[in-house]
Structure formats: structure tokens, C-alpha cells
Amino acid sequence: MSVEKITLEDPLDMHCHWRQGAMLNKMVPLSAKIFAGAMGMPNTNPPIFSLEDILEYKRAVEAAIHFEDNFQPYYTAYFQPNMSKEYLKAIKPHILSIKFYPKGKTHNSEYGCSPHDPGVLESLSNMEELEIPASVHGEADGFCMRREYLFGSIYEQWATMFPKLKIIMEHISDRRTLQLLVKFPNIFATVTPQHALFNLDAVLGGKLNPHMFWMPILKEPEDQEAILNAIMGINGLACVKHKLMLGTDSAPHPVDQKECACGCAGVFNASITLQLLAKPFFDSGKVEQYKMFTSGNAKEIYGITPPKKTVVLERVPSVVPDRVGVTVVPMLAGHTLEWSITEIRA
Ligand code: NCD
Ligand code: ZN
Ligand code: ZN
């Protein structure tokens, strides 16, 4: 019997964290190996604010790419109130979007702001005029399981006030958020493998598992199921299937900052995501939709043409390593995945 197989062209990861320094030098080659392009988030330490910060970050990322991997990194800048048109014009050629962090709601978001701060609407209005998309970590104050839902009214306000602004709801986690994709033509979203395949039980349902702890927190089984159905384009949400892009939210932290009493949110998963999601898409007969979710939709939404890369996945088991580098424990460390990457042509 022949092996079951999926061939992906130019897979893209539209939300990942490479960090800086030694971690960046480890992470960038891992993205570059299996993706044709990936978008690095700006919540580095220090964060990426100015044109100089962006150019310096670009140099560091590009120096870490192995030429033969044929990989296009994409960049973001950290949202600030009152961003002038001059500033936005200067950074626009170097970035794909600007990332809004609600202050204090996730890792390195202390430099972020409240959606109600003065100057936020001014920035969004200038971004709309200059056609720079807004990538948004959409969580508001309140109980952690409801924070994304509570941010929904902000998404509605922004999408209505700025109808030409592309708003990317990053790493969506709540089934109610999906309705915003139906309602607003200018709202899009990234989806992570963890929010599509797991629920809060993976974090708290047995022994406490910090290696499944992200912000937004994994939610109820109904949320997970609705998100998985949406990316596969089934169960009534087929009308939004072209608006959803893969964004792994791969977010490495050294193990001592995960396995401690106040563990950081975020886990490394970039190297296992394509294998993990292969199973539900293949088993549901949605391979064409898998190609759109992992590449075609992002190309269309961001208007990008990444370099050519072919990634072949086969239903042969692979074991997730215990560690990536010295300090990073990946998502599902030590677990056996049903699918493997068996060939990469760059
Ligand atoms: C991310 C990180 O560690 O930078 N963590 C996370 O839990 N998602 C930040 C983010 O994307 O919100
Ligand atoms: Zn986030
Ligand atoms: Zn993230």
C-alpha cells in the first residue's frame, strides 16, 4: 500500500517569535528550513519600534538564514499611539504589518497600550491611509477565558471606523470571534495548531503542563472544534475559509522560565506544526484547503510572493525531540506524531 502523502507549496507561518541574540540564531534557521516565509513578531527585548530597530533586526535575521533554504522573512513593528504618516511611510517598505499589543496582556507587552488610549485611533487612521495592516493581539481586561471575547467590541469599532484597514486577529481562540470574520470584510485571522487541536485540558486537565500554556489561553472543546472546522471550511463557516492563515505563534522561552512558579506564556512549535495539522485536514478530505490555509490565503491577504519551496508530508510516525537546542522544550516534546516531513525542495 502506498504511503498517504500531502505536498505543500510555499508554506508560510504568518506569526512567530524569533526573539533576539542566541535564541534568534537558533530559531530563524528552523523557520527557514520548512517554511518559504515567516513573519517575526516585534515583542523582542528591547521591542522593535523605530526604523533603525527594524533595520537592525532585519540584519540579524538575514545573517541567520542559510542561503540554500531560500526563505523570505517578513517583519512587523510594535504599535504605538500617534504614529505619524512620515514614520509610517519610512517603515512601510520593510514591514508587512504593525502589531498591536494590549498592555500587560502577554509576553513583553508592557510597551503596549490600551485600545482606549489617546492617539490609538490616529495611528490606525494613518495606517489605513497608507495601507498598512494591523495585526492585533486582541485581549481586553477581564477573566482570562473571556478576554478575547471582550476585545470583540474593539474589533467591531475599528473595523467599522476604518473599513479599508486590514485587521488581522492574531491567534484566535474563542468560537465567538469567528463571527467577526463573517461580519466584516476587512477582518482576517491567524490560527495556531494549539487553538485548533487542543483545549484547556491540555494545560490544566491533568498534571499542570506549562508547555501548552499560551496567551490567549486554550479554551473549551467547543472553541477548539469551531476553529478547526473554520480552517477546514466545514460546518457553516465555509464563507470565511479564505480569511484564515496559519500563524504558529511559535514562542520559545528557556525551560527555566517555563518550568517555574510563574512560567511565561508561549511555547516553541514551528517545527511540528505542518505535521500536526496534516492529520485532521487529510482525514477530512480537505487537502486543497490545507494548501490554502498554509499558503494561498496569506499570499492573497498580504499580497506577497514568497520564494518557491515544496514540503512533502507523509503518514509515517515521527517523534518530537525533548529539547530544541539546549534550553527550549517544544510543544508535545517526546510525543509521536502520525505525520512526518519527508522531503523539502527549496
Ligand atoms: C507570545 C510570546 O511569548 O512572545 N506568547 C504567547 O503566549 N502567545 C506573545 C504573544 O504572541 O502573545
Ligand atoms: Zn499574542
Ligand atoms: Zn505571538
Side-chain angles (χ1 to χ4, degrees):
M1 205 180 81
S2 67
V3 184
E4 291 165 317
K5 195 189 252 199
I6 299 174
T7 302
L8 297 178
E9 301 297 343
D10 320 332
L12 296 165
D13 177 358
M14 299 316 291
H15 179 140
C16 72
H17 301 266
W18 293 314
R19 313 301 190 200
Q20 60 285 311
M23 187 69 96
L24 177 150
N25 287 327
K26 181 82 209 161
M27 291 300 144
V28 168
L30 295 174
S31 291
K33 194 167 179 307
I34 51 173
F35 292 102
M39 188 155 105
M41 289 291 140
N43 63 334
T44 45
N45 189 11
I48 299 168
F49 283 125
S50 65
L51 174 62
E52 289 67 37
D53 294 342
I54 297 167
L55 296 177
E56 196 184 319
Y57 198 63
K58 263 180 112 165
R59 278 194 290 275
V61 170
E62 277 156 29
I65 298 170
H66 303 146
F67 173 75
E68 64 279 11
D69 281 331
N70 202 24
F71 171 75
Q72 178 63 55
Y74 299 106
Y75 303 94
T76 50
Y78 208 110
F79 184 96
Q80 303 159 76
N82 292 116
M83 287 182 290
S84 68
K85 285 185 205 159
E86 290 64 41
Y87 165 74
L88 293 171
K89 276 183 198 155
I91 66 169
K92 187 178 170 181
H94 307 286
I95 54 159
L96 273 193
S97 81
I98 296 181
K99 178 74 186 284
F100 178 90
Y101 285 99
K103 195 180 180 66
K105 292 290 178 301
T106 189
H107 183 66
N108 270 2
S109 63
E110 301 81 77
Y111 309 88
C113 52
S114 155
H116 308 292
D117 281 351
V120 166
L121 297 181
E122 163 86 11
S123 288
L124 292 170
S125 166
N126 288 341
M127 286 163 64
E128 179 186 41
E129 189 179 323
L130 293 169
E131 298 181 2
I132 300 175
S135 290
V136 181
H137 182 117
E139 289 197 285
D141 294 338
F143 176 51
C144 67
M145 292 289 281
R146 288 183 210 136
R147 281 180 199 162
E148 185 176 296
Y149 171 66
L150 293 170
F151 199 89
S153 59
I154 304 292
Y155 280 132
E156 298 221 11
Q157 185 202 358
W158 291 356
T160 308
M161 282 183 80
F162 309 110
K164 295 202 176 72
L165 176 71
K166 280 190 180 165
I167 298 172
I168 322 292
M169 304 187 296
E170 297 292 336
H171 44 46
I172 55 169
S173 65
D174 188 308
R175 59 191 184 276
R176 294 167 290 190
T177 305
L178 292 165
Q179 295 310 321
L180 297 171
L181 295 160
V182 180
K183 198 164 166 191
F184 294 97
N186 56 330
I187 290 192
F188 305 85
T190 57
V191 174
T192 75
Q194 54 275 15
H195 293 106
L197 299 176
F198 295 92
N199 59 60
L200 192 59
D201 263 359
V203 194
L204 300 177
K207 283 191 174 168
L208 176 64
N209 184 358
H211 305 297
M212 287 301 277
F213 172 47
W214 268 270
M215 290 295 186
I217 191 99
L218 301 187
K219 304 226 163 34
E220 299 189 42
E222 292 78 8
D223 297 297
Q224 175 255 306
E225 197 186 334
I227 289 170
L228 180 62
N229 284 338
I231 60 175
M232 294 199 298
I234 52 185
N235 276 12
L237 281 164
C239 59
V240 300
K241 67 181 183 192
H242 60 289
K243 293 179 126 191
L244 296 160
M245 306 174 267
L246 173 65
T248 61
D249 198 14
S250 188
H253 292 276
V255 63
D256 60 342
Q257 287 171 38
K258 292 292 293 175
E259 296 180 357
C260 61
C262 49
C264 292
V267 187
F268 170 77
N269 64 3
S271 298
I272 64 163
T273 291
L274 295 177
Q275 301 88 310
L276 255 185
L277 286 170
K279 178 180 162 59
F281 277 92
F282 189 93
D283 291 350
S284 306
K286 294 284 175 184
V287 171
E288 284 313 305
Q289 180 54 25
Y290 194 33
K291 295 179 185 179
M292 293 306 288
F293 174 64
T294 52
S295 187
N297 292 352
K299 285 179 184 169
E300 186 69 30
I301 293 165
Y302 278 113
I304 49 176
T305 312
K308 292 268 155 244
K309 187 171 286 181
T310 304
V311 175
V312 180
L313 294 147
E314 292 182 335
R315 201 195 286 268
V316 292
S318 56
V319 179
V320 182
D322 288 331
R323 286 285 161 97
V324 170
V326 183
T327 62
V328 174
V329 177
M331 175 182 170
L332 299 177
H335 288 238
T336 301
L337 308 179
E338 257 184 62
W339 286 72
S340 304
I341 293 177
T342 53
E343 196 186 339
I344 299 169
R345 294 192 296 272

